[in-house]
Amino acid sequence: MKLKKQVTVCGAAIFCVAVFSLYLMLDRVQHDPTRHQSGGNFPRSQISVLQNRIEQLEQLLEENHEIISHIKDSVLELTAHAEGQPALPQHPLNGSWVLPPENRPSFLSVSPQDCQFALGGKGQSPDLQMLAVYSLLPFDNQDGGVWKQGFDITYEPNEWDTEPLQVFVVPHSHNDPGWIKTFDKYYYDQTQHILNSMVLKMQEDPRRRFIWSEISFFSKWWDNISAQKRAAVRRLVGNGQLEMVTGGWVMPDEANSHYFAMIDQLIEGHQWLEKNIGVTPRSGWAVDPFGYSSTMPYLLKRSNLTAMLIQRVHYAIKKHFAATQNLEFMWRQTWDPDTSTDILCHMMPFYSYDVPHTCGPDPKICCQFDFKRLPGGRINCPWKVPPRAITDANVAERAQLLLDQYRKKSKLYRSKVLLVPLGDDFRYDKPQEWDAQFLNYQRIFDFLNSRPDLHVQAQFGTLSDYFDALYKKVGIVPGMRPPGFPVLTGDFFSYADREDHYWTGYFTSRPFYKSLDRVLEAHLRGAEILYSLALAHARRAGADGRYPLSDYALLTNARRNLGLFQHHDAIAGTAKEAVAVDYGVRLLQSLTNLKRIIINAAHYLVLGDKDTYRHDPAAPFLGMDETRSSQDSLPERTVVKLGTSPRFLVVFNPLEQERLSVVPVLVDSPHVRVLSEEGQPLPSQLSAVWNSATDAVPNVYQVSVLTRLPALGLRVLQLHKALDGHATPRSSTRLYLHGRDVPVRKPEALPLHVFPAAADDFCLENQHLQACFLGRTGLLQSLRPAGEEQGHRVSSEFLVYGTRTSKDKSGAYLFLPDGEAKPYAPKDPPVVRVMEGPLFSEVASYYQHVQTVVRLYNVPGVEGLSLDVSCLVDIRDHINKELALRFSTDIESDDTFFTDLNGFQIQPRRYQRKLPLQANFYPMPAMAYIQDMQSRLTLLTAQALGVSSLHSGQLEVILDRRLMQDDNRGLGQGLKDNKRTCNRFRLLLERRSTANKVQDERPISFPSLLSHITSVHQNAEALVMPVALEKPALPALRSFVPLATTLPCDFHILNLRTLQAEDDSLPSAEAALILHRKGFDCSLEAKNLGFNCTTSQGKLALGGLFQGLELGSLQPTSLTLMYPLGTASNSTNIHLDPMEIATFRIRLG
């Protein structure tokens, strides 16, 4: 077999040489002047015959292209292990840089079956599709009487005669892990008292019930209570009085959070519960996130939960669902051809989750049954009728009044089982409140239950008590679809709680921390994987005694800090300023710790002789790639000092695919060469580092090196101080001052040309793409993919939204603009700097409030196929303004655009003209795109921001918002703590080859494989760590290549998470391997991808995946490892359907 492959390759090479020789001969014949002078002894007829022959050969080559594509799989195997180094760039006389063709073949081999998935077509359509519901509703906000946003509810008194009403009153306390106070302050002031009272008060009466959801608080309390109290808690959970609902570390924001972090905080909470209380959550509870993503029901279903509850949904949708009795539905994923993703969802019908809005439609009456508001307390009823304590004298009248509300509420649902939450933020923190609520309600229940003529049974219950009773009433197994209940697909963004108050501002609020969140997430994933691999290799070598196991406690802490930040007032940007600082400090502390974990793991894995490994925390073997001086400062990259001895770098690639990347390193000398581990020179580029538009940093240079990085691996590079003959190719820079009188500090040793005026329009190009810019602004104007005659208009501009002059203004939550955006008009024209070099060229435009850099990589593969766009924003002198970046194109997208949900799936959107402008903004955690029949333009983002398409061909993103006032949602502050923030994007223009109208009308869409891979490239940048020691004292270093085979490129290793041992500060021998198979659209042309990409119909052999390690065991489990799925078999071959996420409990060693 091997021989056959080699013969094929050699044969192909000889064939190419022969054709090339023929070309050369022809060239000689046509251009040799001596032959023409002597009249020529080579007949013209023979030349034309030769030309014809060559044309035939070319035709044959075209026809053989198909056959050759079948040989590519065997070539793939041969090339996958060949460590081909990219060739050095050449600089021809015309001045533009050319990279020689890659010396390794690359292809896309996608099986036709894998393309079927995105085409869909199987399965029935749902009863409720949210895009269609939006088109249907008038959004007229009519006054509904006592239920202001609803309608009058009536009933016949005898409706319950045959089937009595079953009422479950569910006491709860919503504890925000940070909002007005920090997490710790809330814990000390309120939460610990709530939980302490809970243990005491629940034991007084076995009929009492309580639910709890935030494990971040619960675990802190658990660490501080006695063994006796812990035993009491376990008893309360065991006998069904206390239920842990959802069981995540927090109740996450569902708009801005990324699916890695959503899953991670769910695992952290579930693992804690299993280990400490031995309980597995059954029902989801999300009363406070500001809108709901369809990713959450998928994650809960895959974690084996059977039902869930939501509350903050647009009031018009609540009214419509109430009127049609669709408030309970089976929530299904758009791509699901059957029912495997279905989960029962209960939507609360009224304005809020507080007591006045949960017993029934009339808040004036419900408030009278919130016994914390009894006269003499600190809070009262705004409707001016206070609660009255229940006595024998008034119980009949009071119970009848409440029952009327219960009956009216129950008319909105299909079953005769009713859920009535009883609680609010930080409720039940004093024993008196427990007594007031529980004793008064119990008197009402006792009265109602003693009167058979009322046909009602009322009791305290947990959330699962309610769902169990519902399933029992309709006679089906929990998790199945109750007869007649509708199936719904789609999501619940964007949310409005009243009038035109759309909660679309928080999609961007505090973008600095939204960005830091994703940096921490990428580091956590990288640290988890590298730590797991280093530990497995150390155990196999018997060296785990010397490995710093204490890193595991730092890893746990980082998981918990990232988890805490997914809370719906944290990543949302809707907490008080001091609380935002507290989150920032936690994020930065964990980021620093994760860099240490990565350094320790990398140190062990690159050592040629593992016996020389010594962990010295005081003198780390590797330095960090960058440092941050405080929680709200931008990173500063490490400068490597060059001396007479070579300096070594270790580069970590956190992706599961090999990548060809341009890796930047700062050095203190322009005389530098970069060599591979074996001493081969690598393609590189030297450029200046700038403090500002015109001020080059003295004695600091960036050397960018093109190198091939192994999947999940570590590559060793050498930096040498160069002799002049071997210096790195230098970039050259043009600086256009636009008539401004600004001092210029030139970089030493690099060419800089200064022009006092503005530039003419100009273009940058590589082998894939030409990008053209407006000279006077330096902003993008058009994009033209290689091989296309006509470019596309893709122009960018900055815009500013103001806020209303009326009483309701934009704040941390709400976006209430004063009309359409106005063009950003800075007082000075921009300084534009154009830099060109062999590996990348870029255009930097410096405005007063934003510096934008558009970079085009001149390299084969993923990085050269899209534009890298970054915006450094500083609006600290703005008042009530929001800065937006808009791309306007000639793509005929009409009113349709697409945004992602949590980086996991794509949701088509439609611009609704009947709704105000702010209603048409949506969250964009990872990407948004517009398309027509020919093209798709995708904006990929490295941080969550708000996005919209307000006109055909447009895509716009809000970069930052500075607002001077509170928006009356409880925060009590505006957004005035803006930071200098760097927003990073990629702009990808793709050609659609097989689009059709029918497909495009479906409420489902997928990115291309290239788009998926571009997104992970952007979100998991390579980490460059300089070796602290200089050469003489240095042990031998070897690159680390962990994977023995190439993963199919629709598979993503979401995590490889070492599980905790009995002592939770130490690692066990097991890890959770979490895989995601991405759904992708094949209709986008994938030419010259420059990376090897094959798909395998979802099949993957895990047995031989990790080089040098054995897979000791493999057990498929539910998403959060609570339930084994099937029996552990000896087979290590797995299969995943598209879009599925699967968790495996594995043992590596």
Side-chain angles (χ1 to χ4, degrees), residues 689-701:
V689 178
W690 298 85
N691 273 326
S692 71
T694 58
D695 182 28
V697 181
N699 305 321
V700 178
Y701 302 87

Side-chain angles (χ1 to χ4, degrees), residues 889-903:
T889 74
D890 51 17
I891 292 172
E892 293 170 8
S893 57
D894 297 331
D895 59 358
T896 304
F897 59 110
F898 303 82
T899 68
D900 76 292
L901 290 168
N902 317 101

Side-chain angles (χ1 to χ4, degrees), residues 950-962:
L950 301 177
H951 294 282
S952 181
Q954 285 187 1
L955 206 49
E956 74 177 74
V957 55
I958 309 281
L959 299 174
D960 199 1
R961 42 206 319 262
R962 182 170 170 83

Side-chain angles (χ1 to χ4, degrees), residues 291-292 310-318 347 492 495-497:
Y292 297 92
I310 61 177
Q311 149 61 23
R312 287 191 185 270
V313 172
H314 194 299
Y315 61 86
I317 292 171
K318 285 188 176 224
M347 183 190 293
F492 295 101
Y495 168 58
D497 57 349

Side-chain angles (χ1 to χ4, degrees), residues 1083-1129:
S1083 75
L1084 294 117
E1085 278 181 12
K1087 287 182 182 163
N1088 311 323
L1089 286 187
F1091 62 93
N1092 296 337
C1093 172
T1094 55
T1095 65
S1096 58
Q1097 290 115 68
K1099 294 193 275 289
L1100 179 61
L1102 287 174
L1105 184 61
F1106 296 100
Q1107 198 154 275
L1109 293 173
E1110 277 170 30
L1111 193 59
S1113 64
L1114 173 72
Q1115 168 68 62
T1117 70
S1118 59
L1119 181 64
T1120 58
L1121 300 112
M1122 304 285 261
Y1123 301 88
L1125 301 179
T1127 51
S1129 70

Side-chain angles (χ1 to χ4, degrees), residues 153-180:
I153 307 171
T154 56
Y155 61 85
E156 298 299 324
N158 59 357
E159 280 188 44
W160 291 272
D161 287 6
T162 53
E163 198 183 351
L165 182 63
Q166 206 177 347
V167 180
F168 289 92
V169 172
V170 179
H172 69 98
S173 179
H174 179 65
N175 283 239
D176 288 305
W179 180 38
I180 304 300

